[in-house]
Amino acid sequence: MLNTEHFDADIIVAGAGPSGLVVSCEAALGGARVLTLEKRGEPSWSRAGNLTSRVLELFASRGLADRILKRAFELHTEPRTASGIWAGLPGLRYEGLETDYPFVLFLSQIEIERMLTEHLKDLGGDLRLRHEVLGFDQDETGVSVRVRTEAQGERTFRARYLVGADGNKSSVRTAAGIPFEGHAATKYAYNVDARIRNPYPGVSTFFHSEAGWAMAYPLRDTVTRLAFIDAQTCRGPQSESTSFDEAMAMLRRVHGSDFDIREVEAITRFHDAMFLAARMRERRVFLVGESVRIHYPASGVGMNFCIQDAFNLGWKLAAVAAGRAADSLLDTYEQERRPQIEALLDDVRRQCAIQFNFDDEHAALKRFLQDVLIPMPDVNRRLCENLSGLGARYERGEGSHPSVGQRMPNLKLTDAEGETSSVFEQLRGQDFLLLDLTGGVAPRALAGLRMKTASLTAPVSNSSLQGAATVLVRPDGYIAWAGEQACSEYFPFEELARWLPSAGRLADR
Ligand SMILES: Cc1cc2nc3c(=O)[nH]c(=O)nc-3n(C[C@H](O)[C@H](O)[C@H](O)COP(=O)(O)OP(=O)(O)OC[C@H]3O[C@@H](n4cnc5c(N)ncnc54)[C@H](O)[C@@H]3O)c2cc1C
């Protein structure tokens, strides 16, 4: 029977913050019709201010990293720093990481949202501002989403899937009846975004004393973010709003100066409240980003983890909506990302235990961590890999090659016509990528599949790939399968069919 049911889109995304925009872009790139509904008008303020290595790699695999870097250099004389913090303690060094982006890039959330909005438009996505999602009903075939619009009052849109990327107070999560469990705020920190040039000599500055913890980095060359935890007030009752004079008094206590600030863009308080959604999926409805969790923004990686979740979900939704993949692929979203989120929350707890305490015992612990443990190469590497997202490992089946579940590095490639490129360039169209690592001729691509093929230009030097001769890379850049035989000897139809069922049908021909 012909299905005549009307859908306004394949996928409706509630919220156009970083998570919602990335899911929307990824779903649109995968060929889905996407409708993105955002409650507010244009964004006006940045919470996050940086991008980490793995997120830059993901953006590079969509051809966006150069645009991001260019914008960052327009706004800052030097937007990159190889130094980072853990638990507020300086000393992390990113430059040893095996990536094209061994640094933290300063770029404010508002700029990232603007760039993703443009990208979504280029991909044909439909973004509607001042559209507030109120709730939804779902049935066997789709989701009807109730929306309040400024121009047309209340109306309903229908799609096959709904994604709640609508932040920590998510209406989608509430309507889905998904519990959000955790604890309220007990400790507080501040950001003062001041219209001054960075008063410190380095790009980013971090220090702590008995007065508290201090950080500075540029949002733009002309606006500096001065963040701090004031030991005197961070655990006390907080007033409703913070006056300019109160903020300057805390700055003088913790940073040692108010830097003669005359004008501020924003004074904001943030805290250690932590909540986690009990589930990330309710049949045809998914949660992503801060609708899944909130936490203290320790080490400035929260948005970066949300973006990685969104990359994980977006291509899968598009593949299932288009009938290229089975519904069970969508279950792998929570299976893969939930352990990453839980590990992040544990790390934030550890960091809070150190960062918000200023007594003698904690001061001694901080000195030991900062001067002895963090500089150790293995410790430094582990912490940098965790924070940057490069260390994420998705579960691999028993007996599979150790590289399965890891992200594929950006190696140089040659295709069957002898054209050279790189892994990230080949992933731009969100195809699967089958790679011959033996230096042989690239295997033939299979018509009718979103899959590319290439071979490695130079022998594998990356230790995690040792022993592998063929690698299947997913559209989001993670290794789906790796085998010990070259593609010319064994073509992995079965392994490919696990992700793209149509590959199995092609093998039968
Ligand atoms: C002070 C502070 C500093 C931070 N610094 C960093 C940092 O340096 N680095 C970092 O990586 N992370 C940082 N973070 C975390 C980061 O800001 C968040 O992780 C990120 O904003 C989450 O993105 P999101 O898209 O999931 O949610 P949001 O950014 O909250 O976006 C949700 C969107 O949904 C919209 N919306 C809400 N309800 C509805 C509805 N009913 N219908 C339609 N639309 C709706 C909202 O208007 C909003 O645009 C910081 C957070 C704080 C508080």
Side-chain angles (χ1 to χ4, degrees):
M1 204 172 67
L2 196 66
N3 185 357
T4 54
E5 192 179 356
H6 171 75
F7 288 102
D8 297 287
D10 295 320
I11 297 155
I12 290 178
V13 177
S19 308
L21 287 167
V22 168
V23 172
S24 302
C25 289
E26 283 296 286
L29 181 62
R33 279 192 308 143
V34 182
L35 177 59
T36 311
L37 305 172
E38 166 56 56
K39 181 166 77 168
R40 56 156 170 70
E42 298 295 336
S44 55
W45 178 68
S46 285
R47 281 189 280 161
N50 65 328
L51 289 173
T52 59
S53 310
R54 180 59 191 147
V55 170
L56 284 164
E57 287 192 346
L58 285 163
F59 283 135
S61 71
R62 299 299 181 247
L64 295 172
D66 289 347
R67 210 199 286 183
I68 291 173
L69 281 162
K70 183 167 172 274
R71 183 66 185 139
F73 272 99
E74 281 166 10
L75 294 165
H76 304 270
T77 315
E78 175 48 89
R80 296 162 305 180
T81 175
S83 62
I85 48 171
W86 183 78
L89 303 170
L92 282 190
R93 302 299 307 174
Y94 282 88
E95 61 260 33
L97 297 181
E98 278 181 39
T99 169
D100 295 350
Y101 308 98
F103 49 79
V104 174
L105 182 77
F106 290 115
L107 188 63
S108 55
Q109 185 165 337
I110 203 165
E111 293 291 337
I112 296 158
E113 290 177 6
R114 280 186 192 135
M115 195 236 10
L116 288 168
T117 302
E118 271 174 39
H119 185 52
L120 179 60
K121 285 187 186 146
D122 292 346
L123 291 166
D126 182 356
L127 167 61
R128 305 208 194 163
L129 300 180
R130 299 179 191 85
H131 279 57
E132 180 183 1
V133 171
L134 302 174
F136 67 86
D137 294 301
Q138 62 172 320
D139 52 44
E140 287 304 298
T141 54
V143 191
S144 297
V145 183
R146 287 190 307 285
V147 178
R148 181 162 42 224
T149 71
E150 225 173 62
Q152 296 163 298
E154 278 190 31
R155 54 179 299 196
T156 301
F157 293 101
R158 188 158 170 83
R160 293 175 201 282
Y161 297 98
L162 169 65
V163 178
D166 49 347
N168 57 13
K169 298 193 178 86
S170 173
S171 306
V172 173
R173 187 186 62 229
T174 307
I178 298 175
F180 200 41
E181 287 152 358
H183 67 80
T186 58
K187 314 185 232 342
Y188 298 84
Y190 286 85
N191 277 337
V192 172
D193 297 345
R195 294 215 178 85
I196 50 166
R197 287 200 165 268
N198 191 345
Y200 290 101
V203 180
S204 52
T205 302
F206 320 94
F207 61 89
H208 52 92
S209 65
E210 68 279 5
W213 171 81
M215 170 172 83
Y217 67 86
L219 286 179
R220 305 188 288 280
D221 270 352
T222 49
V223 178
T224 300
R225 174 163 284 175
L226 298 158
F228 53 87
I229 297 171
D230 176 21
Q232 226 177 78
T233 60
C234 69
R235 287 169 185 271
Q238 305 287 309
S239 50
E240 271 306 300
S241 61
T242 310
S243 69
F244 180 85
D245 289 345
E246 282 169 329
M248 293 306 116
M250 288 192 283
L251 260 182
R252 284 193 291 275
R253 274 203 293 274
V254 184
H255 276 262
S257 168
D258 61 16
F259 308 107
D260 202 20
I261 292 169
R262 301 289 158 89
E263 229 186 318
V264 292
E265 266 192 0
I267 298 171
T268 44
R269 189 176 63 208
F270 52 105
H271 49 70
D272 68 333
M274 185 179 278
F275 287 87
L276 176 63
R279 301 184 292 287
M280 293 160 75
R281 175 179 191 179
E282 188 66 43
R283 293 157 65 204
R284 292 182 166 272
V285 177
F286 294 82
L287 300 180
V288 69
E290 282 213 338
S291 65
V292 175
R293 79 314 217 141
I294 58 162
H295 57 81
Y296 173 69
S299 303
V301 298
M303 174 186 71
N304 285 272
F305 272 67
C306 291
I307 290 176
Q308 291 171 68
D309 296 349
F311 267 99
N312 189 294
L313 178 62
W315 72 271
K316 293 175 180 173
L317 270 176
V320 174
R324 290 193 296 276
D327 181 83
S328 56
L329 178 65
L330 294 173
D331 288 331
T332 66
Y333 161 59
E334 179 158 2
Q335 283 159 11
E336 292 178 344
R337 290 309 300 175
R338 195 171 191 89
Q340 306 300 322
I341 295 170
E342 286 174 349
L344 170 67
L345 295 188
D346 248 2
D347 196 37
V348 170
R349 290 184 185 102
R350 287 191 283 273
Q351 295 187 61
C352 285
I354 295 163
Q355 200 179 354
F356 279 92
N357 285 297
F358 302 95
D359 55 51
D360 288 349
E361 287 173 2
H362 283 88
L365 176 62
K366 287 177 193 178
R367 279 195 301 275
F368 180 64
L369 283 164
Q370 186 176 316
D371 301 340
V372 180
L373 286 188
I374 291 177
M376 288 179 167
D378 285 350
V379 177
N380 181 78
R381 186 179 187 81
R382 174 80 182 263
L383 291 173
C384 286
E385 283 186 352
N386 280 353
L387 294 173
S388 66
L390 292 173
R393 306 260 186 284
Y394 298 151
E395 203 184 313
R396 61 190 172 95
E398 218 174 290
S400 58
H401 189 272
S403 65
V404 174
Q406 300 187 24
R407 115 285 182 209
M408 182 71 189
N410 191 26
L411 304 178
K412 298 280 168 252
L413 305 176
T414 311
D415 68 13
E417 278 75 48
E419 295 287 324
T420 53
S421 64
S422 71
V423 169
F424 293 170
E425 281 167 354
Q426 290 295 329
L427 288 172
R428 279 188 191 174
Q430 205 190 74
D431 298 316
F432 276 81
L433 179 58
L434 185 65
L435 293 179
D436 186 300
L437 306 183
T438 64
V441 178
R444 76 189 159 91
L446 295 179
L449 281 188
R450 285 182 68 132
M451 189 190 76
K452 291 196 165 156
T453 60
S455 66
L456 221 60
T457 311
V460 187
S461 59
N462 191 289
S463 53
S464 65
L465 291 170
Q466 291 302 331
T470 307
V471 167
L472 179 66
V473 185
R474 302 173 0 175
D476 58 353
Y478 288 84
I479 297 176
W481 171 81
E484 290 172 5
Q485 288 168 287
C487 287
S488 51
E489 294 165 38
Y490 176 76
F491 195 93
F493 279 112
E494 211 179 294
E495 291 75 11
L496 199 51
R498 198 185 138 220
W499 303 89
L500 295 174
S502 44
R505 292 195 286 280
L506 289 172
D508 295 339
R509 278 208 216 143

